[in-house]
């Protein structure tokens, strides 16, 4: 029997919102500061998935310049109704402190591939919004509500004073705005940090899905139900549909935040996010997406079909026609591309022409601000999806200042990266290699594992390579067509993770490997990359 291996979406794919349209299944996942916004994956059999698109591609829809790390697009919700796709998303502008500044929007499209509309602003009361269509055609928005006054002691829920319940309000399609009464329909359980609401109706009940426990190792999916849309909602007899919070030995950790879907024959399934941490709880691939077979029982509640609350790493596939997709080539040959494929993303800016262009002979990056900058950073990269991973590129670059650099990077965020960079030696004026590493929050101070700059010939291309093997990362370089030689010591790849420096309750993305360029003089020095080859597993 064909089996589903979890996670089904490997590498950084958190907060899976699933939507079935006929025989097609779509999952929308969060992209945070990565651009374009929202990752949509597609399957026809729940086994084989492909990266389809990123709908938020223009400034009118999304501009993340200035957004701090792990802000940006949180928890999109994808649905289909009235012949249209409806995509709800949050743009979070602030992470630290008592405030979040989370703005919620709606875009629509006649096809999953677009064109996607300009956004309709909804509200800013909290994050993780989702749209529900009732049987009478009316639509309702639910989102968690953020309580910035929590530190005044007005909540006794354990560890969760900022999370103040789930709000519901009607959305008027005709007026393109929220209308009517705002109701707090569910406070959550004693696990707290109640977020990620989704609603659906079945057998005379409204079922409310939430995530609880935070997106770390206490994470869970919680169910509640009511005969009345506005409540009160009673909580599942087990509280949670799924969680591994009590099993440190599970191969999948941090499971939570998912959505319900039915197959054409009525079989229930449920998505969830998860991680595959190293020993010591570090997850370089970030939060990924899994799926679990479920069952309805006589009490009218949903349960995992395996009889427990821990989702299975392997599930028997449903009886759907197998539909594999063509393999994605490991090598992105920039001399043959007219646009970047959806497997490659950049950071924050909708104005990609200021960051890069595809030429006949290369991907040209224009050096902008420093690595880790929150406004204009020229960096194009792909997700690390397995514990063993390599990346390779060929660089043509002629720096004329030590403030100019370009190269190959393993990048998590502003304070977590390893970067093999070509620059100019300020003493000799010649080209040279160095490694810039950072594992220092919040200051972001660099270390230089190579020590002295490594001299390079004045002309010619340089190939660069990195290899990740679990917690070890090594860099290599080759001049022209010469052999690769190692550079620098073995580096700690585990810092490129949610837990690596700041912690999993504040870091929400995953490791990317790719190419980058900076020009701190402001002259936008160009760096040309012939290809990027990324091998996972």
């Amino acid at each position: 029997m064909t089996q589903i291996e979890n996670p089904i979406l490997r590498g950084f794919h958190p907060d899976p919102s699933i939507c079935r349209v006929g025989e097609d299944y779509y999952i929308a996942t969060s992209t945070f500061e990565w651009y374009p916004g929202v990752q949509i994956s597609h399957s026809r059999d729940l086994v084989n998935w492909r990266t389809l698109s990123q709908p938020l591609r223009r400034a009118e829809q999304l501009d993340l310049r200035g957004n701090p790390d792990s802000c940006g697009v949180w928890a999109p919700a994808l649905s289909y109704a009235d012949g249209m796709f409806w995509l709800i998303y949050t743009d979070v502008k602030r992470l630290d402190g008592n405030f979040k500044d989370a703005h919620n929007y709606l875009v629509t499209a006649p096809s999953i591939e677009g064109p996607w509309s300009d956004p309709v602003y909804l509200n800013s009361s909290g994050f993780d919004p989702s749209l529900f269509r009732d049987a009478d055609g009316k639509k309702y928005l639910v989102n968690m509500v953020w309580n910035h006054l929590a530190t005044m002691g007005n909540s006794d829920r354990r560890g969760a004073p900022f999370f103040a319940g789930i709000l519901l309000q009607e959305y008027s399609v005709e007026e393109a705005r929220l209308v009517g009464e705002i109701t707090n329909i569910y406070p959550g359980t004693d696990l707290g940090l109640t977020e990620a609401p989704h609603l659906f109706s079945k057998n005379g009940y409204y079922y409310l899905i939430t995530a609880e426990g935070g997106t770390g190792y206490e994470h869970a999916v919680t169910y509640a139900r009511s005969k009345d849309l506005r409540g009160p909602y009673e909580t599942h007899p087990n509280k949670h549909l799924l969680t591994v919070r009590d099993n440190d030995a599970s191969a999948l950790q941090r499971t939570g935040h998912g959505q319900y879907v039915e197959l054409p024959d009525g079989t229930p399934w449920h998505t969830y996010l998860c991680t595959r941490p190293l020993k010591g709880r570090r997850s370089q691939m970030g939060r990924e997406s899994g799926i679990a077979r479920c069952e309805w029982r006589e009490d009218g509640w949903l349960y995992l079909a395996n009889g427990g609350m821990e989702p299975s790493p392997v599930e028997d596939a449903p009886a759907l026609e197998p539909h594999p997709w063509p393999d994605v080539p490991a090598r992105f040959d920039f001399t043959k591309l007219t646009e970047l494929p959806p497997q490659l993303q950049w950071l924050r800016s909708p104005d990609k022409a200021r960051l890069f262009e595809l030429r006949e002979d290369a991907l040209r990056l224009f050096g902008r601000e420093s690595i880790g900058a929150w406004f204009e950073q020229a960096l194009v990269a792909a997700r690390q999806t397995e514990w063993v991973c390599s990346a390779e590129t060929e660089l043509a670059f002629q720096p004329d200042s030590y403030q100019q650099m370009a190269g190959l990077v393993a990048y998590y965020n502003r304070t977590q990266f390893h970067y093999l960079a070509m620059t100019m030696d300020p003493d000799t004026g010649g080209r040279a290699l160095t490694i810039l590493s950072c594992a220092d929050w919040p200051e972001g101070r660099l270390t230089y594992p190579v020590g002295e700059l490594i001299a390079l010939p004045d002309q010619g291309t340089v190939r660069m390579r990195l290899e990740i093997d679990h917690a070890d990362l090594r860099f290599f370089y080759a001049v022209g067509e010469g052999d690769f030689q190692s550079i620098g010591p073995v580096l700690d790849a585990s810092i490129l993770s949610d837990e690596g420096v700041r912690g999993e309750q504040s870091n929400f993305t995953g490791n990317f490997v790719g190419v980058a360029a900076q020009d701190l003089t402001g002259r936008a020095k160009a760096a040309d990359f012939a290809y990027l080859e990324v091998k996972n597993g």
Side-chain angles (χ1 to χ4, degrees):
M1 175 177 285
T2 304
Q3 293 185 313
I4 296 172
E5 182 180 353
N6 284 309
I8 51 172
L9 303 182
R10 304 172 84 81
F12 165 55
H13 288 87
D15 312 325
S17 171
I18 190 166
C19 170
R20 180 177 70 85
V21 182
E23 297 181 349
D24 293 288
Y25 300 83
Y26 303 102
I27 290 179
T29 51
S30 301
T31 44
F32 293 85
E33 64 262 39
W34 289 91
Y35 210 91
V38 179
Q39 184 100 320
I40 293 183
S41 303
H42 176 216
S43 178
R44 305 201 78 186
D45 57 12
L46 301 188
V47 178
N48 302 286
W49 293 84
R50 63 169 176 163
T51 302
L52 185 64
S53 65
Q54 292 109 7
L56 307 179
R57 310 189 66 86
R58 59 185 189 270
E60 294 85 358
Q61 298 169 322
L62 188 67
D63 189 341
L64 301 176
R65 285 173 289 194
N67 283 34
D69 293 331
S70 286
C71 289
V73 176
W74 287 19
L78 181 67
S79 58
Y80 184 81
D82 306 328
M84 298 283 289
F85 285 93
W86 305 72
L87 179 63
I88 309 283
Y89 62 98
T90 306
D91 179 4
V92 178
K93 296 297 187 183
R94 177 175 176 175
L95 180 63
D96 294 330
N98 280 47
F99 297 100
K100 276 291 182 286
D101 295 330
H103 310 307
N104 297 317
Y105 301 93
L106 162 69
V107 292
T108 59
S111 164
I112 194 67
E113 295 179 334
W116 290 91
S117 69
D118 285 345
V120 173
Y121 171 74
L122 298 172
N123 67 19
S124 300
S125 58
F127 48 83
D128 294 359
S130 180
L131 194 68
F132 167 65
R133 181 186 185 277
D134 208 348
D136 62 3
K138 290 184 177 180
K139 295 178 175 62
Y140 297 87
L141 187 79
V142 285
N143 62 268
M144 67 79 66
V145 59
W146 184 258
N147 177 15
H148 68 279
L149 299 175
T151 50
M152 295 176 66
N154 61 345
S155 173
D156 59 2
R157 293 190 304 126
R158 181 175 67 84
F162 291 105
F163 292 70
I166 303 301
L167 299 187
L168 178 142
Q169 188 178 12
E170 185 179 351
Y171 174 74
S172 169
V173 176
E174 293 75 18
E175 299 179 53
R177 66 184 184 94
L178 296 173
V179 297
E181 178 185 359
I182 301 172
T183 307
N184 194 322
I185 61 173
Y186 187 62
T189 74
D190 58 352
L191 183 57
L193 287 88
T194 307
E195 58 185 344
H198 294 291
L199 276 169
F200 68 96
S201 60
K202 187 177 179 68
N203 297 332
Y205 280 100
Y206 294 99
Y207 288 88
L208 175 65
I209 311 166
T210 61
E212 293 194 299
T215 192
Y217 289 86
E218 296 282 298
H219 212 193
V221 170
T222 300
Y223 259 64
R225 72 182 183 186
S226 175
K227 291 282 189 177
D228 189 308
L229 179 62
R230 295 187 182 271
Y233 282 78
E234 60 172 323
T235 301
H236 194 290
N238 290 343
K239 291 186 182 177
H240 313 303
L241 171 72
L242 64 83
T243 184
V244 297
R245 57 192 294 258
D246 297 319
N247 184 4
D248 291 343
S250 174
L252 301 176
Q253 291 289 325
R254 298 170 59 186
T255 57
H257 197 136
Q259 192 172 15
Y260 177 85
V261 68
E262 284 187 2
L263 274 56
D265 66 1
T267 304
W269 288 75
H270 211 284
T271 60
Y272 58 90
L273 70 77
C274 59
T275 63
R276 292 174 286 158
L278 288 167
K279 292 181 180 179
R281 289 187 167 184
R282 290 190 170 186
S283 310
Q284 284 152 239
M285 281 83 74
R287 297 171 303 155
E288 306 173 286
S289 288
I291 196 165
R293 183 188 292 267
C294 298
E295 62 184 17
W296 289 101
R297 297 186 186 169
E298 292 182 358
D299 61 1
W301 287 103
L302 188 70
Y303 296 84
L304 295 187
N306 65 17
M309 283 197 288
E310 298 181 9
S312 302
V314 176
E315 297 271 6
D316 290 336
L320 299 173
E321 185 70 25
H323 196 98
W325 303 104
D327 291 335
V328 176
R331 177 173 289 216
F332 302 102
D333 185 346
F334 297 129
T335 67
K336 298 178 180 178
L337 296 177
T338 57
E339 62 180 1
L340 291 183
Q343 291 79 18
L344 297 179
Q345 291 184 267
W346 61 98
L347 287 160
R348 292 183 174 85
S349 178
D351 192 358
K352 64 182 182 180
R354 283 184 54 82
L355 303 180
F356 62 85
E357 67 175 359
L358 278 164
R359 300 163 60 88
E360 291 184 359
D361 58 348
L363 171 66
R364 172 162 288 183
L365 298 190
F366 301 105
R368 295 295 178 187
E369 295 175 330
S370 59
I371 186 164
W374 289 350
F375 287 86
E376 286 194 308
Q377 184 180 174
L379 188 155
V380 173
R383 289 160 174 78
Q384 179 184 351
T385 63
E386 302 297 340
W387 284 116
V388 177
C389 171
S390 66
E392 182 181 315
T393 191
E394 182 179 76
L395 169 64
F397 184 51
Q398 295 295 135
D400 52 44
S401 168
Y402 70 89
Q403 292 183 301
Q404 298 166 346
M405 62 199 83
L408 182 67
V409 67
Y411 185 89
Y412 182 91
N413 66 14
R414 177 181 68 91
T415 61
Q416 296 167 247
F417 59 83
H418 297 300
Y419 182 23
L420 175 60
M422 183 194 300
T423 186
M424 188 197 82
D425 187 326
D427 295 327
T428 68
R431 300 192 306 171
L433 287 178
T434 189
I435 296 175
L436 291 72
S437 288
C438 187
D440 179 52
W441 182 87
E443 286 80 7
R445 297 188 184 279
L446 296 175
T447 60
Y448 303 91
V450 172
E452 298 294 326
L453 295 173
I454 306 298
L456 292 171
D458 290 340
Q459 300 290 327
T461 61
V462 173
R463 287 176 293 139
M464 297 177 171
R465 179 177 176 84
L466 67 80
E467 295 178 358
I468 298 173
D469 186 351
H470 293 76
D472 293 340
L473 184 149
R474 295 171 172 85
F475 280 116
F476 304 84
Y477 76 100
V479 176
E481 297 301 316
D483 295 334
F484 276 105
Q485 54 187 308
S486 63
I487 177 171
V490 176
L491 301 172
D492 182 4
S494 76
I495 63 108
L496 307 168
S497 64
D498 295 350
E499 307 92 334
V501 175
R502 189 176 181 187
E504 69 275 10
Q505 298 289 9
S506 297
N507 277 349
F508 305 133
T509 57
N511 184 41
F512 282 67
V513 292
V515 295
Q518 296 78 36
D519 188 347
L520 309 184
T521 71
R523 299 195 293 267
K525 186 71 173 182
D528 290 345
F529 297 87
Y531 63 88
L532 175 63
E533 182 177 88
V534 179
K535 295 181 178 180
N536 282 283

